[in-house]
């Protein structure tokens, strides 16, 4: 089985401390404010990836899903060429002391599923 086919058998993540070019092109990058206050909206920004992923009819990012922990918050579908796999979505978390993580999962039509995450602490 080639490496490319193996990518479709799992949710791929950055492995180790030196991400490969493949990992850096595909892993969603999530930006949130340093301080999050319970009950107040803040912007969650997601892009794929740390370095630009191809955006062509033959090779593109099809969608991104956003979760807080295991709770699904949204899904964003893209078309090739005409849209860029970057989103900004306002989110409010109601529980002070919540210690969880935002997870974004994206799908590349050629290289499968990729997950990025960032820890969140609500004050
Ligand atoms: Fe790809």
């Amino acid at each position: 089985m080639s490496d490319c086919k193996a990518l479709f058998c799992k949710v791929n993540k950055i492995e180790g401390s030196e991400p490969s070019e493949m990992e850096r092109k595909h892993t969603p990058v999530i930006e949130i404010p340093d301080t999050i206050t319970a009950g107040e909206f803040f912007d969650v920004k997601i892009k794929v990836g740390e370095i630009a992923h191809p955006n062509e009819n033959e090779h593109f990012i099809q969608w991104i899903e956003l979760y807080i922990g295991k709770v699904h918050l949204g899904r964003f579908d893209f078309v090739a060429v005409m849209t860029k796999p970057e989103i900004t979505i306002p989110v409010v978390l109601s529980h002070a002391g919540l210690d969880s993580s935002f997870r974004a999962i994206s799908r590349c039509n050629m290289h499968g599923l990729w997950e990025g995450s960032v820890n969140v602490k609500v004050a």
Side-chain angles (χ1 to χ4, degrees):
M1 180 182 291
S2 73
D3 285 346
C4 242
K5 285 185 179 171
L7 290 172
F8 284 96
C9 299
K10 60 182 180 173
V11 178
N12 300 285
K13 298 177 183 177
I14 290 177
E15 309 277 353
S17 56
E18 294 287 331
S20 67
E21 185 174 339
M22 175 75 86
E23 291 171 333
R24 294 171 66 209
K25 274 186 184 173
H26 288 89
T27 304
V29 177
I30 306 169
E31 289 181 29
I32 57 173
D34 292 335
T35 304
I36 293 171
T37 303
E40 293 183 9
F41 275 98
F42 57 95
D43 284 344
V44 177
K45 299 180 182 178
I46 308 171
K47 67 176 183 177
V48 181
E50 177 188 314
I51 54 177
H53 183 276
N55 190 0
E56 305 156 352
N57 287 322
E58 300 77 18
H59 185 194
F60 69 105
I61 300 300
Q62 299 172 298
W63 48 258
I64 299 172
E65 291 186 344
L66 176 64
Y67 299 81
I68 179 83
K70 293 187 175 181
V71 177
H72 184 247
L73 296 180
R75 178 186 167 104
F76 312 91
D77 293 294
F78 305 102
V79 296
V81 182
M82 295 179 72
T83 61
K84 202 172 181 182
E86 294 184 11
I87 57 166
T88 299
I89 178 81
V91 174
V92 63
L93 300 174
S94 301
H95 304 287
L98 176 70
D99 191 359
S100 187
S101 60
F102 280 109
R103 298 185 303 119
I105 298 176
S106 63
R107 189 177 199 279
C108 164
N109 68 317
M110 287 184 67
H111 300 109
L113 299 171
W114 292 80
E115 179 176 326
S117 64
V118 62
N119 290 329
V120 56
K121 180 93 178 153
V122 180

